[in-house]
């Protein structure tokens, strides 16, 4: 599977979450096997390489003097993520805003940044795409 950068599909639910966007991107992979939105989400949040955890620990040390969240519970939520895949639930340290059969919208709000993320399945038939979109 090859990841490709792509335009953000304008019909994604995440596109309605903020009127002023400073940053947005979208990456997709084409797959021939069918996955549910739950399977994709759990796969993304349970396959952390150890170096990612080290980077999060370094990040927490660097940002804590500035009042930016450096909660040990957030780091623990990456090691043992929660998967409450319903509106108002949590996926790791992200809040679940919307869930459909083809998209989940997550958000995280901090003192310095509000961000929204979408995991979506687009297309039908033998080949369809899985899209990961960042909006902030």
């Amino acid at each position: 599977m090859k990841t490709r950068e792509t335009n953000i599909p304008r019909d994604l639910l995440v596109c309605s979450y903020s009127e002023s966007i400073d940053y947005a991107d979208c990456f997709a992979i084409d797959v021939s096997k069918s996955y549910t939105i739950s399977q994709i989400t759990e796969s993304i949040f349970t396959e952390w390489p150890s170096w990612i955890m080290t980077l999060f620990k370094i990040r927490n040390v660097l940002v804590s003097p500035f009042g930016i969240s450096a909660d040990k519970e957030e780091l623990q939520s990456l090691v043992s993520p929660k998967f409450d895949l319903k509106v108002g639930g949590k996926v790791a340290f992200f809040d679940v805003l919307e869930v459909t059969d083809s998209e989940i919208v997550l958000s995280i709000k901090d003192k310095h940044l509000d961000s929204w993320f979408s995991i979506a399945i687009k297309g039908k038939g033998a080949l369809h795409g899985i899209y990961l979109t960042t909006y902030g």
Side-chain angles (χ1 to χ4, degrees):
M1 288 184 285
K2 184 175 179 179
T3 303
R4 60 184 162 79
E5 188 168 10
T6 187
N7 293 327
I8 297 170
R10 291 292 157 207
D11 60 340
L12 292 180
L13 297 171
V14 74
C15 295
S16 66
Y17 275 89
S18 181
E19 294 177 11
S20 63
I21 297 298
D22 295 320
Y23 178 81
D25 67 11
C26 185
F27 292 87
I29 58 170
D30 294 319
V31 294
S32 57
K33 182 178 175 187
S34 291
Y35 295 96
T36 66
I37 204 70
S38 300
Q39 289 171 319
I40 296 165
T41 303
E42 288 187 29
S43 176
I44 289 171
F45 287 96
T46 57
E47 302 294 325
W48 294 103
S50 60
W51 61 269
I52 293 285
M53 301 310 292
T54 301
L55 288 177
F56 266 102
K57 289 175 186 175
I58 293 169
R59 174 236 181 238
N60 287 350
V61 169
L62 294 174
V63 301
S64 61
F66 302 102
I68 297 172
S69 179
D71 192 345
K72 288 183 181 179
E73 287 181 27
E74 282 184 354
L75 191 60
Q76 184 59 35
S77 72
L78 293 175
V79 176
S80 303
K82 298 175 187 172
F83 292 101
D84 190 8
L85 295 177
K86 65 178 187 259
V87 174
K90 289 271 198 193
V91 172
F93 51 79
F94 295 97
D95 297 316
V96 179
L97 300 181
E98 291 195 55
V99 179
T100 68
D101 289 340
S102 61
E103 184 177 5
I104 183 166
V105 179
L106 308 171
S107 77
I108 186 166
K109 296 187 178 200
D110 207 339
K111 291 179 183 180
H112 71 296
L113 180 66
D114 293 343
S115 296
W116 298 267
F117 305 90
S118 167
I119 302 165
I121 304 166
K122 307 263 317 151
K124 301 272 185 209
L127 192 64
H128 49 278
I130 298 171
Y131 292 76
L132 181 58
T133 304
T134 306
Y135 228 56

